Structures are given as structure tokens and as C-alpha cells.
Amino acid sequence: MKPHDSAHLHVTGQSEFVDDRPASQNEVFVTVVFSRIAKGRIKKLDVSPVKTDPDFIAFYTAADLHSNRWGTIFQDQPVLAEGTVEFAGEPIALLVTRDRRSGERLRKKIILQIEPLPAIRSVREAIAARSFIGSAREIKRNFDENVFAQAPECIAGHLVIEGADHFYLESQAALAYPIEDGQIEIHSSSQHPTEVQHVVAHALGLPDSAVTTVVKRMGGGFGGKESQAAPIATFAALAAHKLNRPARLILTKDDDMIMTGKRNPFEIDYRVAFDREGRILGLDAKLHSDGGAYADLSTSIMERAMLHSDNAYFIPHMRVQGQVCRTNYHPHTAFRGFGGPKGVAMIERIIEEIAHRLGIDALDIRRKNLYSDQGGRNVTHYGQVVENNQLSICLERAAEASNYERRRQEIQASNQRAIENGENTLRGLSMTLVKFGISFTTRFLNQGNAFVICHRDGTFQVSTGATEMGQGVNARIAQLLAEEFSLPRDQFRMMPTRTDKNANTSPTAASSGTDLNGAAALLAARKLKYRLSEFASKLLELPESRYPSNTAGLGTEAEILISAAPNYTDPNEKPESFGVVFEKGMVYLKRDPQKQIHFASLVNQAYLSRISLSDYAHYRIPGIEFNKLTGQGRAFLYFTQGAAVSEVRIDRLTGEAKVERVDVWMDLGRPIHEGLDLGQVSGAFVQGMGWVTTEKLFYSKDGLLLSHSPSTYKIPNIQDTPRTFNLNLVPNDENYANVRGTKAVGEPPLLLALSVWTAIQDALKQLPRYRDHYPRISIPATQERILRTVDPDAFKQIEGSAFNEFVV
Ligand code: MTE
Ligand code: QUE
Ligand code: MOS
């Protein structure tokens, strides 16, 4: 298997990120002046102390913008704050200097006075103040209060889920070049080049056609560069436009973490009815999320949370309600899983609680509630049929391969001994599942387009709307095309994403980068292949003396005429072959394999015969129709599914949790590149582990993020990764929904890390104090929280102290 197409560049430090672009003459640096309090009135903004500094170049505020409104779904956010600020980290002004050092230095001298106003600092406060974003949503199926009244068992609960930082290694970055006639070319670290283009154009009062966004690659995005790259790019573009000089803006890690939004925190109230065997009868859930100060993508994120509140389980009577709250934090945004992980956390917690209440192993509760093709238990609460259901296969494979039953016994015994002998180590074991819907739930985003250019030597340049952030979308698309022509992958060069080549693109998000852009690239390639096939079928009939290249342009060659390629729309439909075979770089007629021509020669002959070697195609996902008003419909093209079994070890004295072993089984259809997919599985799982364990955001009383660097914000490191980490794919050739039978992988495995969270609670529930009630623990289950759950009384002595404020 070939490595990632940038691997050799990454490891030798040659891969180019925005800030690696060499400085140009006259270039300026942009530093953002932002609020350090959550809410207030701007009283004074005085730049006179820096104006005479030789490094000072310019200073811009909202007044310098043609338009000061942006927002992906609702245009509710100022590019630069005007009059008041709504969150700590909110950009107020731009300081333009000769270089980044002087920017840092001079920013400290600017006088900024903000009169504090009362801020909303939690979901609870927002609910009390009725401070909301968008309207309340509801999705339900056969909801009936009687189900709860008559159920043998009922549990009600509350779940707190906190946010997390994306912690991409490359901070938000942009470099804007003024081009003649008022145009701007902006190199941005963005998952959504088209939105960058539109926001820049709008803010500067330019037509979209005057702005070109270029994205070579990102050093990670994880959703954090989907919407929030746009204002950053706009800051650089404003300076470039005003000064007619290139302008660079590279956030420091600290500024980036303070300014940009995180994963939405959620507070969930649930009520579940079930029978004595543990079968769920009804679920009533109310989800509130913290959207931060502006809408960003929060309403779509909420929708995805609501659509994933069933996860792998059939729930006959169900109602899920959702409301985004407006608070005074950075606007929270897309983060791997996009709402899905929050819905899934709730239902997996519920399963664990049912198991604990009934004294039945949680795995059996999962088995009993799994979506199944039998008994009409295969329709989701939003009315979509779960086709090609692999959940049971994933569950059973994971159970078997992990020796779940045997280890359950062993762990039970070891915990018993530990508790009897007063030893510190408690162990926990848990399986969770994932059924992640693939498609944007906003229909118009489910489209992609691609350009495929073949040069005369038979090498290709491929341009699509997909952006590379490390996930390997480029390698996958190149591989798809390489398979199509039976050529080495290296022959396909993936070009930087540019809005002047691929316009009206969707963000590379919702794990659908390869699905959408790979399909479009394949459709484009098939047009070319159609023409080359017809051409080859005629060329190979001729004596070589009549080939165009052998007639020295004397006009004596056979003029080969071909038909127009059809407009393919289904990437799984094979094009007409004209009896021509493409194999290992050679092309021949099926009935005459002796006479072969090199692909490169064929291409050159085609050019000389005046046949186009470039193609464009557009792809749209057919058949999806989720109605946002009724909350019903086929929201997703298909589901990526999987199961994971995690074992943790908890130290009762310190609260420390270690992940001992993880077994993952996923259905990824027929992977295009198994190595890259497994890389995504391990990366997403570990990223999810960080969210559910150690990654805790601490804010000051003023709403300013305090944990804004790796010294205060604990992401997983190599020693935190599971000691035994078995990643497996379930073979599945039955998925015809998507291009080449593949399934999207980017986000789904993150949700499997919830098994680490449930395993921690599984360990804690062995404690005698939790015999009758489940040891509910929030996300993240930090060391402090684990310790508090082990021994709530131990914290009495510090209650009310300054230290305590930061622990919870
Ligand atoms: N993998 C790496 N290495 N870096 C990233 O930033 N982002 C994730 C996932 N995997 C990310 C990643 C997220 S949030 C998404 S939506 C998908 O990649 C996007 O890419 P894809 O659609 O091509 O899978
Ligand atoms: C998953 C996603 C996104 C989504 C829906 C999903 C996403 C995204 C949007 C979105 C919604 C409305 C808009 C828009 C974008 O929806 O990433 O421009 O007007 O950006 O299910 O990942
Ligand atoms: Mo991914 S959160 O959809 O960028």
C-alpha cells in the first residue's frame, strides 16, 4: 500500500503550509486586537501610543469594512465587533505592522477599555434568560406519554457534556495578495474555500469573481476551519486590499485557542422507559447546546445530535427536542462528529444505566435493542430505513475478538478482590457502537465538482473542491482515478484547491470529502476514458504508419472521429468500453491483446487527433430528502457503522484512568486505501478519547479561556494511546450506495471513544456506594471527576475554596 501522498514531504519538512510561503516584498503582518471579557461596551480604543512607532503600518476597525456581517447559516456575526463585545476573544480591530514580532509588541500598547456588562455563562443561565439561537426543534415517532406511565421501568437523568478544542497543529492562517484591478488571491488554511471567497468578497464590497481562495493543505482542521477560517482570511484580505500589499495573518496557538469556538457543550435531560428484559420502549430527550455568542453551525450541529440520539438502537416511541442557547462564549462550531457524538453519548449512557438497574450485562442490553431487519425494527425515529445493517456483525465480531465474556468475568473478580483488599486499581470494560449518517443534512451541500486534466505524457492534474487536512482525501481520489485507468497513483497529481477552478464547492466536512469529490473526479475521468476508449478502438485497427505521430503533420494521417462522451451521473455505472482494455499502463483491444499501446502514447495520439484530454464533472447525491420542517425523511445516503470494546484501569487514589486495551471493528465498505482508513480510525479514536477524558476547558470569571496552550490543555499523547489497540474492518461488499462501495471514515470512529467513557463508569459502578445507582460522570471524565466519583466526601474540605472553583 502506498503511503499518504504527502508523507515524504511531511517527514522531511518540505510540505508547504500557509506560513511556509516565502515573504514577498512589502509584505505586512496582521495582529488581531480582541476582547478579554465576555460581554461589554467598548469605551475606548486608542492607537495613538503606537502610531509613531517605525514598525506601525495601519490600524483597522469595523468602520473600514464595506459590510460587517457574516455567518454560515445565519448572518448574525460581525467580522469586527462594533460598540459592544459578545465574547472574550472577539476580534475588535486589526493592527498591521512590519512583522509579527512588532505586532505582538505593539498590541500591548494599544489602549482598549471595555465596560463589562452581565454575561450569560452557561446553558442554564441562557435557558433562564430565554437566550436562544434559532427555534426549538423536535423529531418524534409514535411518541406517547402512556408508554412512560405504563412501563415496568423508567429512568430520568441529566447529562453534561463539555466542549473541546480542535488542537490542529497549524493555527488559523491566511495570506492575502492584492492582484491587479482590485482582485485578491487569498491563501487560507480553510476547509471551506468557497465560504472564504464569499465572506471576503462581501466584507470588502467586491464581486465574488474578484476573490480567489487557494488551499494547498491544512495542518489539521477537524471542523475548526470549516466556518471560522473565513473571518481570519477576511482580516488579511482587508489589510491587503487597503494597503495594496501582501498581508499575512498567522494566529499564535494562544490567540487561536482563545478566539476560536470549540465543540458545542451540551446539557441533556432524558427519560427512558423499558421492560424488565432491558428492551427500550420509549425515549424522551431534551437537548440544549451552548452555541456561544453567534449561530455559526450550531443549529446544524444540534440537528445532527438529534438525528443520532438513537445511535444503533431501535426505539419504538421517541421524541427528541433540541434548542441551541446563545451565551457569551466564542461561537462554537463544527468538530469531528458534528453533534453526533452528543446524541450518541446520551443513548449509550442510557443503555449502561438500564443494564445497571436490571443487573444485566450492558452488552446484552445492546444486543436486545440493536436495529434489526426482523420485526420492523429497522426504521429510525426520522423515518429512514437502516439498509445494509452491519451493526450486529460489528457487535459480535468485537465481542468475540475482544474475549468480552471472559474478560468481563476476570475483571469482575479482580475488582471484587481489589475492593475486599483495599487495593487501588479498579478495572472497567465496555462496548459502544456507532451508526453515523453520511451526507450533509442540508441537501444543497451534497454536491461536488472536479476537473481532470491529462497531459500529453499521460500524467494527470486533478482539481476538486476537496481540501486536504491530513485525512488523505487527495491520496484516495488519486487512487480512484489510478484504478480507473490502471495506472500508478503517482501519475495523478492532486492540485491545490482553488475557487477559480472549482467553484461553489461544499466544505470538506461531514466525512464526505472523498464521497463527493471522488465521485465527481471519477465521473470526469469516465468522460475522458470514454473518448480514449473509442479512439483506441479505432486507432488500434490502423497500421502504425497512419498514426498521427508518424505522419509528421503532413495531413496524411487517418482522421479519427469519435462521438461525444455521455454525461455520467452514477459513479457506479461503468462507461462504454468499446472493447478496449486499460491494464497496467497499457491499452489494447480485448480481442487482440497482442497489439498494445502505452497509455502515454495513446494520449499523445489522441491529442494529435484533436481530442480533448480535459474533463469537468459535477456530482450530486441522489435520493436524499430530509425535511427539516417535519424532521422526517432519508437524511443520509448510508451509515458507517462499528463497535469498540475498551478496557480501562482506574487508580482509586489519584483518579487517573489508563486505557489498557481497545478492539475496534468497523464497516467501511470496500476501502479505497485501507492504510489511510485505519489511520483515520486510530486518530479519530484517540482524539475522541481526549474529549471524554483529559481535555478540559477552563474559563476565567470573565469568560476568558485560561487553558489556551498544551501546558494547560491536556490532549492525548503517545503514552495515553491504548496499550493494545486492535483495529479491524468488517468485510462488506454489499454497499452499493456510494462510489466504488466505499464508506466515509473521517468522523465515525471518534464516537467509538465513548466506550472509554462508559468503561470508566463501568469501573466506578463496582464500588459499593454505586450498588443502587449508576455513577454518572460528565464528559470529560477527568481525573478530578473520577476522584470525586470515587469519594465525593474527600472533596468536602476544599469546597468553596479558590482551588475548588476550577475542579468540578
Ligand atoms: N484527519 C486529519 N488528519 N486531520 C483533520 O483535520 N478532520 C476530520 C476527518 N479526519 C481531519 C481528519 C473531519 S472533522 C472530517 S469532517 C473529515 O476528516 C473531512 O475529510 P473527509 O471528508 O475527506 O474524510
Ligand atoms: C453535517 C455537517 C454540516 C452540515 C450538516 C451536517 C456542515 C455544514 C452545514 C451547513 C448547513 C447549512 C448551511 C451551510 C452549511 O451542515 O459541515 O452553509 O447553510 O457546514 O449534517 O458537517
Ligand atoms: Mo468535520 S466536523 O465535518 O469538519
Side-chain angles (χ1 to χ4, degrees):
M1 236 175 327
K2 276 201 179 303
H4 189 290
D5 56 326
S6 296
H8 66 292
L9 303 173
H10 288 340
V11 296
T12 54
Q14 295 179 83
S15 30
E16 186 187 279
F17 299 87
V18 171
D19 201 22
D20 292 322
R21 296 185 65 81
S24 24
Q25 224 165 19
N26 254 339
E27 186 180 288
V28 298
F29 194 84
V30 181
T31 303
V32 184
V33 177
F34 58 81
S35 169
R36 299 185 76 82
I37 66 168
K39 188 171 169 74
R41 202 167 281 116
I42 302 169
K43 284 286 166 197
K44 190 172 183 188
L45 181 55
D46 182 3
V47 264
S48 53
V50 305
K51 275 208 156 143
T52 53
D53 192 285
D55 292 330
F56 174 86
I57 292 169
F59 188 75
Y60 300 116
T61 63
D64 296 293
L65 290 161
H66 177 264
S67 159
N68 190 22
R69 276 280 170 275
W70 80 283
T72 311
I73 299 174
F74 303 105
Q75 285 70 56
D76 67 341
Q77 184 168 355
V79 176
L80 290 167
E82 228 173 329
T84 60
V85 292
E86 295 293 330
F87 66 93
E90 182 167 11
I92 297 171
L94 306 172
L95 171 64
V96 185
T97 59
R98 281 240 286 254
D99 57 17
R100 77 187 74 190
R101 287 267 279 296
S102 49
E104 282 279 323
R105 180 172 61 81
L106 297 184
R107 180 169 67 174
K108 294 193 187 107
K109 299 186 180 171
I110 290 172
I111 298 163
L112 171 63
Q113 284 170 9
I114 303 176
E115 175 195 331
L117 292 169
I120 294 177
R121 295 216 24 225
S122 68
V123 164
R124 273 152 203 260
E125 284 176 27
I127 295 170
R130 303 201 58 75
S131 170
F132 298 134
I133 294 170
S135 45
R137 297 275 303 271
E138 182 174 279
I139 298 175
K140 63 181 175 185
R141 185 250 310 270
N142 293 342
F143 185 72
D144 182 0
E145 272 300 334
N146 291 325
V147 171
F148 294 85
Q150 289 157 16
E153 298 278 350
C154 246
I155 292 175
H158 183 75
L159 172 60
V160 173
I161 302 175
E162 292 184 44
D165 188 79
H166 304 83
F167 223 94
Y168 29 66
L169 291 183
E170 180 208 23
S171 293
Q172 302 274 1
L175 181 45
Y177 299 95
I179 312 278
E180 67 164 32
D181 209 15
Q183 302 171 82
I184 298 274
E185 178 173 306
I186 177 121
H187 293 247
S188 166
S189 184
S190 164
Q191 292 172 243
H192 198 348
T194 295
E195 187 178 29
V196 165
Q197 174 199 16
H198 291 168
V199 173
V200 166
H202 191 64
L204 302 187
L206 298 172
D208 289 347
S209 57
V211 181
T212 300
T213 313
V214 185
V215 178
K216 171 65 196 154
R217 63 161 65 76
M218 282 158 277
F222 307 112
K225 292 172 181 170
E226 193 178 325
S227 54
Q228 305 214 350
I232 302 292
T234 307
F235 301 154
L238 176 65
H241 189 62
K242 289 269 179 193
L243 297 166
N244 202 27
R245 292 167 74 167
R248 186 182 299 249
L249 197 175
I250 313 291
L251 291 185
T252 62
K253 191 70 193 167
D254 305 84
D255 284 6
D256 185 308
M257 288 186 78
I258 289 170
M259 287 166 58
T260 62
K262 317 290 163 214
R263 186 184 286 285
N264 291 83
F266 269 63
E267 296 220 7
I268 301 177
D269 294 289
Y270 54 86
R271 202 155 53 100
V272 61
F274 51 101
D275 66 20
R276 298 252 150 75
E277 275 79 56
R279 217 162 284 123
I280 299 176
L281 305 171
L283 174 65
D284 185 17
K286 181 134 201 166
L287 280 52
H288 282 101
S289 74
D290 179 344
Y294 298 104
D296 203 279
L297 294 166
S298 291
T299 48
S300 276
I301 291 165
M302 174 57 81
E303 180 178 82
R304 189 166 273 272
M306 295 166 72
L307 293 171
H308 283 74
S309 295
D310 58 335
N311 195 27
Y313 313 107
F314 176 74
I315 302 166
H317 302 275
M318 180 158 171
R319 174 170 77 180
V320 51
Q321 298 173 303
Q323 174 70 67
V324 180
C325 298
R326 194 185 292 277
T327 64
N328 294 104
Y329 288 105
H330 21 218
H332 294 305
T333 193
F335 192 163
R336 213 169 190 171
F338 203 81
K342 280 72 88 174
V344 171
M346 171 190 71
I347 188 68
E348 293 292 354
R349 137 78 67 88
I350 286 172
I351 295 271
E352 293 286 323
E353 287 202 60
I354 292 173
H356 194 51
R357 166 75 65 87
L358 299 176
I360 301 175
D361 192 281
L363 181 56
D364 291 326
I365 306 291
R366 290 190 164 84
R367 277 197 182 103
K368 284 178 190 163
N369 287 289
L370 224 50
Y371 277 111
S372 137
D373 293 336
Q374 266 101 57
R377 297 171 64 89
N378 67 342
V379 185
T380 64
H381 55 301
Y382 46 93
Q384 175 162 358
V385 175
V386 182
E387 293 162 354
N388 189 222
N389 185 342
Q390 306 287 311
L391 292 165
S392 170
I393 296 171
C394 293
L395 181 147
E396 298 304 342
R397 291 277 170 102
E400 193 186 311
S402 67
N403 286 314
Y404 183 95
E405 306 290 346
R406 185 176 58 65
R407 282 162 69 208
R408 167 63 70 211
Q409 304 301 324
E410 200 182 290
I411 287 170
Q412 205 101 33
S414 120
N415 285 336
Q416 205 72 45
R417 274 196 309 275
I419 287 165
E420 277 163 19
N421 305 338
E423 287 159 14
N424 290 332
T425 302
L426 280 181
R427 293 162 69 194
L429 182 73
S430 184
M431 177 195 291
T432 60
L433 288 108
V434 65
K435 171 183 122 287
F436 196 84
I438 304 297
S439 292
F440 288 95
T441 51
T442 301
R443 182 161 49 189
F444 71 80
L445 294 171
N446 293 297
Q447 57 179 318
N449 68 73
F451 257 120
V452 174
I453 293 173
C454 183
H455 295 279
R456 280 175 71 182
D457 63 354
T459 64
F460 287 77
Q461 288 178 322
V462 181
S463 307
T464 77
T467 56
E468 176 66 44
M469 59 195 98
Q471 85 277 38
V473 67
N474 284 347
R476 284 194 191 85
I477 294 175
Q479 181 72 36
L480 269 176
L481 299 188
E483 281 178 14
E484 188 67 16
F485 290 103
S486 191
L487 293 169
R489 194 185 83 193
D490 305 346
Q491 219 155 311
F492 298 82
R493 190 177 293 276
M494 301 303 297
M495 304 308 288
T497 317
R498 299 183 57 106
T499 56
D500 55 1
K501 271 198 183 150
N502 300 99
N504 306 312
T505 58
S506 295
T508 307
S511 304
S512 62
T514 303
D515 286 24
L516 294 171
N517 298 281
L522 207 51
L523 293 178
R526 290 216 172 122
K527 290 190 206 169
L528 176 57
K529 195 176 176 192
Y530 177 98
R531 290 195 303 273
L532 288 178
S533 299
E534 187 175 3
F535 177 72
S537 73
K538 296 181 173 172
L539 184 81
L540 289 166
E541 297 283 5
L542 296 173
E544 282 182 34
S545 59
R546 304 215 49 208
Y547 283 15
S549 63
N550 291 333
T551 63
L554 295 174
T556 58
E557 71 274 11
E559 169 93 294
I560 298 179
L561 298 174
I562 60 166
S563 54
N567 222 340
Y568 296 105
T569 55
D570 176 0
N572 289 328
E573 177 195 339
K574 294 278 170 231
E576 167 65 55
S577 76
F578 297 95
V580 172
V581 180
F582 291 72
E583 194 178 278
K584 296 196 175 125
M586 303 302 289
V587 183
Y588 59 88
L589 295 174
K590 203 170 188 168
R591 59 176 167 74
D592 184 12
Q594 297 309 315
K595 190 176 179 196
Q596 303 206 347
I597 182 170
H598 277 282
F599 179 81
S601 314
L602 176 70
V603 158
N604 189 41
Q605 303 291 358
Y607 166 75
L608 294 171
S609 290
R610 300 186 295 176
I611 288 170
S612 165
L613 299 175
S614 306
D615 279 282
Y616 169 85
H618 176 263
Y619 173 66
R620 64 214 284 250
I621 293 184
I624 41 174
E625 43 174 60
F626 176 66
N627 182 329
K628 288 179 190 288
L629 301 175
T630 59
Q632 294 291 314
R634 183 187 180 113
F636 305 112
L637 184 63
Y638 63 92
F639 298 100
T640 294
Q641 299 155 51
V645 176
S646 293
E647 180 183 338
V648 301
R649 188 178 284 266
I650 285 175
D651 186 318
R652 280 203 277 167
L653 265 190
T654 64
E656 197 181 5
K658 279 275 172 208
V659 183
E660 291 288 324
R661 173 171 170 182
V662 173
D663 290 82
V664 174
W665 284 82
M666 287 202 78
D667 161 32
L668 299 177
R670 279 181 63 217
I672 298 169
H673 190 302
E674 207 172 299
L676 287 173
D677 281 12
L678 291 174
Q680 287 290 292
V681 174
S682 61
F685 190 95
V686 171
Q687 189 166 43
M689 265 178 53
W691 169 53
V692 301
T693 57
T694 58
E695 293 183 36
K696 166 97 182 142
L697 296 160
F698 291 98
Y699 291 89
S700 76
K701 281 211 159 64
D702 291 328
L704 184 72
L705 184 69
L706 298 173
S707 47
H708 51 72
S709 80
S711 61
T712 45
Y713 186 75
K714 177 69 181 85
I715 60 167
N717 67 18
I718 192 71
Q719 304 200 9
D720 298 315
T721 59
R723 313 224 159 145
T724 306
F725 202 10
N726 299 321
L727 309 177
N728 309 278
L729 302 184
V730 173
N732 177 8
D733 288 333
E734 308 277 288
N735 168 39
Y736 309 112
N738 192 33
V739 55
R740 204 187 151 285
T742 180
K743 284 194 175 188
V745 64
E747 296 165 284
L750 181 134
L751 289 82
L752 290 175
L754 288 165
S755 60
V756 170
W757 175 63
T758 49
I760 289 170
Q761 292 166 104
D762 182 68
L764 293 168
K765 81 181 188 208
Q766 321 278 334
L767 292 167
R769 73 163 68 238
Y770 294 111
R771 190 166 302 138
D772 298 325
H773 65 285
Y774 185 76
R776 290 174 177 167
I777 199 161
S778 304
I779 290 177
T782 58
Q783 192 167 344
E784 292 89 343
R785 283 201 170 118
I786 292 172
L787 206 50
R788 277 174 183 272
T789 311
V790 168
D791 188 1
D793 303 332
F795 282 77
K796 285 245 164 72
Q797 51 190 300
I798 58 162
E799 227 101 274
S801 74
F803 166 69
N804 194 49
E805 180 184 328
F806 294 112
V807 184
V808 271

